[in-house]
Structures are given as structure tokens and as C-alpha cells.
Amino acid sequence: VFEVLADETNYPLVFHCIGGADRTGCLALMIEELCGVDEDTALKDWELTGVRTVQLNFVHAKTMNHFLSHLAEYPGDTAERRMRAFLADCGVTSAQMESVRRIMLGSAAPR
């Protein structure tokens, strides 16, 4: 996913799932924290998607708690630093992280 996000030629792009809470919400949280959004704000954004829909059978709180407990194991004194360590552990390169951050924060090179 970060390989796609890091490539400016893929923009504009949209990412989504059926309900946008679990996998999509997790990805949004990763992007927000990578871009320096503080942990409380990123979590509140994710919590806004936590409506349980019987037809879709979301387990939003369980997914969120599992992911957050995993992230807490990574070193760093900020959400961004922990996220960078997590993403690096997942194989996302520093160059990809910087590219995503630059694109998302609106400092992409003019086309």
C-alpha cells in the first residue's frame, strides 16, 4: 500500500473498503501519524468510524485495540516515531515514508 501511496503518479487516489472502519481506518491512522498528527487526534478520527453494523459484522474495537497494543511495542516518544518504526518493520522504506508525508502534506512537486 505504501508503495502505491509513495508514487506521485498514482494521484489523485482513493482507498476504501465496504465500511471504512477496520482496514481502511487503520491505514488512515497510519498515514495521519506518519504525517505528524498527534495520537489523540488520530485515534478520535478512527473512533468516528466505529459504528457497529450488523450486516457487515465489524469488530472495530477489537481491531483497534489489537493494532494499538501492537504499535505500543515499538520504540519512540511520539506516535509518528512509533509509526515510522512499525512501517520500517513492515518493509516500508524511509524514502517511501518521506514521499507519502510530502504528498499528503501538500508539498508535492508541481506537475
Side-chain angles (χ1 to χ4, degrees):
V1 170
F2 277 83
E3 185 176 326
V4 171
L5 291 172
D7 184 349
E8 239 179 286
T9 64
N10 291 326
Y11 288 81
L13 64 79
V14 174
F15 66 93
H16 62 88
C17 64
I18 294 170
D22 297 317
R23 291 162 295 200
T24 304
C26 185
L27 177 58
L29 179 121
M30 286 188 249
I31 294 167
E32 284 187 41
E33 289 189 356
L34 178 62
C35 290
V37 173
D38 67 272
E39 188 172 44
D40 287 341
T41 301
L43 290 175
K44 285 176 185 172
D45 282 351
W46 195 359
E47 289 171 357
L48 289 172
T49 64
V51 177
R52 181 172 172 81
T53 305
V54 175
Q55 301 103 322
L56 301 176
N57 196 22
F58 287 149
V59 288
H60 182 73
K62 186 176 179 181
T63 300
M64 183 174 170
N65 290 337
H66 177 75
F67 183 62
L68 294 176
S69 67
H70 186 65
L71 277 178
E73 297 172 8
Y74 283 86
D77 59 348
T78 66
E80 181 182 348
R81 288 186 178 139
R82 284 187 300 276
M83 185 56 66
R84 285 178 176 276
F86 169 75
L87 291 173
D89 197 31
C90 293
V92 179
T93 68
S94 293
Q96 288 170 325
M97 287 185 234
E98 288 311 310
S99 181
V100 170
R101 184 178 163 87
R102 180 179 44 80
I103 291 166
M104 292 294 159
L105 294 176
S107 55
R111 295 181 199 208

